[in-house]
Amino acid sequence: MTIIYALIIFCLLIFVHELGHFMVAKACGVKVNEFAIGMGPALFSRQKGETKYSVRVFPIGGYCAMEGEDEDSDEPRALNNQPAWQRACILAAGSVMNFITCVILLIIIAFWVGTATTTIDSVAEGSPAEKAGIVSGDEVVRVDGKEIGAWNDLIQAVGYSKEDTAEVTVLRDGKEETLTAELEYDKDAGRNMIGISPVMEHSLGSAITGGVRNTGAMTVMMYQVLKQLFTGEVSVKELSGPVGIVYATSEAAKSGIMYVIYLAALLSLNLAIINMLPFPALDGGRLLFLVIRLFTGKRVSDETEGRIHFIGICLLFALMIYVTFNDVIRFIIPIF
């Protein structure tokens, strides 16, 4: 099942990414020579019109091969002959599709699991909340005078308070009551706890809101990690490649399908962000060349750009080999 889950995730994310490039390229009238899922020899291919569609042996990549993408072409419909704004839309479409995929997957999770409300479902026996008089059905409206609009607001207000107690204002039977609860620090959670759990709401509206909010939080987290990577706070050895992803899929599968879907959302957003970095061979690197040409007015030949992207691909492959080697040491060798 680990292999099946991993293959599904790989193929889904690659397909979605390349489909973004393909759809926008077609919409802009650019000639697409081949749309492929996987790398290596073709298992299946079919020519339809001007485009060949193929499935290849190794499900670790894919591509949307457009005319004039890495070379000069006299074909009027070649990518290199299109306006800069159209080229930018085509290049960004893959990452946009991965971002949208992440949002959709997190919406599915939010709908399935439910969105935490500010209404209390249960109170742990002997907990600070029970001792304070908080009961099931109470709706938390304020903590220490701060308005509580979402469960996360409650976590922030209680969990990271510097005080020993919290003044919790609840709405009960239409009337507000303010109760004082002692705060207990939970080492495992890394924050204060008072022993309450929320009522989970299963509605499409709240799921959409939760999915979008969680995608935003996940995006901020990833950019923080990238920043730490460039500043040296996080070592390159912490990066993972295909082997690490398969291992993570295995661990997620042990906890259930929702964890696998969450991992897929995380990887989809990761793919979207990484591809937009201004590095040769990545979509962000290609966008950088467009910007340079717009501001300098001096067109770098497509052949020269293609060679630079080829160097970028070689560097990325070298990084992949290094990361895979570290993954084998971390995840495979300990098994034996």
Side-chain angles (χ1 to χ4, degrees):
M1 289 306 299
T2 295
I3 294 174
I4 292 173
Y5 284 143
L7 287 176
I8 290 174
I9 292 174
F10 274 126
C11 293
L12 171 66
L13 301 187
I14 293 165
F15 172 75
V16 166
H17 184 89
E18 298 304 330
L19 183 63
H21 293 310
F22 176 80
M23 289 193 303
V24 179
K26 286 290 189 180
C28 292
V30 172
K31 182 181 178 182
V32 179
N33 296 323
E34 183 177 2
F35 179 78
I37 298 300
M39 305 294 283
L43 287 174
F44 167 82
S45 64
R46 180 183 177 184
Q47 188 76 31
K48 187 176 180 181
E50 64 185 18
T51 305
K52 180 169 75 172
Y53 301 87
S54 60
V55 176
R56 297 182 175 271
V57 174
F58 305 110
I60 56 172
Y63 54 87
C64 175
M66 294 170 278
E67 182 73 20
E69 184 176 1
D70 291 315
E71 73 285 333
D72 289 316
S73 175
D74 296 328
E75 164 68 50
R77 294 174 55 223
L79 180 65
N80 63 297
N81 293 323
Q82 306 310 306
W85 70 269
Q86 286 192 353
R87 296 177 70 180
C89 289
I90 293 169
L91 293 172
S95 290
V96 171
M97 283 291 284
N98 280 127
F99 186 86
I100 293 173
T101 300
C102 175
V103 174
I104 292 173
L105 292 176
L106 290 182
I107 288 174
I108 291 172
I109 293 173
F111 184 78
W112 182 271
V113 175
T115 303
T117 67
T118 55
T119 301
I120 297 170
D121 180 46
S122 61
V123 179
E125 187 176 349
S127 66
E130 185 185 54
K131 294 174 182 177
I134 298 173
V135 298
S136 175
D138 284 348
E139 180 184 350
V140 181
V141 293
R142 283 185 298 279
V143 173
D144 291 332
K146 298 178 182 178
E147 295 293 329
I148 302 298
W151 182 257
N152 191 57
D153 296 336
L154 178 58
I155 291 176
Q156 294 294 323
V158 172
Y160 303 101
S161 172
K162 302 298 182 182
E163 306 298 328
D164 295 326
T165 60
E167 297 294 322
V168 182
T169 302
V170 300
L171 188 63
R172 183 186 298 170
D173 298 326
K175 297 180 181 179
E176 289 189 0
E177 291 188 35
T178 300
L179 308 166
T180 302
E182 294 184 0
L183 301 181
E184 291 183 353
Y185 186 77
D186 187 298
K187 292 183 178 179
D188 293 332
R191 59 182 175 84
N192 300 319
M193 306 280 276
I194 59 174
I196 57 175
S197 60
V199 170
M200 305 301 289
E201 180 183 32
H202 297 269
S203 71
L204 183 58
S206 61
I208 292 173
T209 302
V212 172
R213 184 188 299 117
N214 291 338
T215 302
M218 191 183 288
T219 302
V220 171
M221 177 191 71
M222 285 191 178
Y223 275 110
Q224 289 174 341
V225 172
L226 280 175
K227 180 182 177 182
Q228 292 172 341
L229 185 64
F230 283 108
T231 58
E233 295 177 59
V234 174
S235 172
V236 179
K237 292 182 179 180
E238 298 299 318
L239 297 177
S240 283
V243 174
I245 292 173
V246 171
Y247 179 83
T249 303
S250 174
E251 293 300 304
K254 294 176 183 177
S255 301
I257 188 63
M258 283 297 115
Y259 288 87
V260 175
I261 295 176
Y262 183 83
L263 176 63
L266 183 67
L267 293 175
S268 187
L269 184 59
N270 188 286
L271 184 58
I273 293 174
I274 295 299
N275 260 283
M276 292 307 292
L277 294 178
F279 187 84
L282 298 178
D283 295 332
R286 296 178 185 276
L287 285 170
L288 179 62
F289 272 93
L290 283 178
V291 174
I292 291 173
R293 290 172 178 177
L294 286 174
F295 280 93
T296 63
K298 297 178 181 179
R299 180 178 172 81
V300 178
S301 72
D302 292 305
E303 294 290 346
T304 300
E305 181 180 343
R307 285 193 290 268
I308 294 174
H309 289 316
F310 177 75
I311 294 172
I313 289 174
C314 292
L315 292 174
L316 288 174
F317 269 116
L319 177 61
M320 180 65 70
I321 293 171
Y322 173 77
V323 166
T324 302
F325 177 76
N326 283 335
D327 281 348
V328 170
I329 293 176
R330 281 191 295 171
F331 305 126
I332 304 300
I333 291 180
I335 296 175
F336 300 99

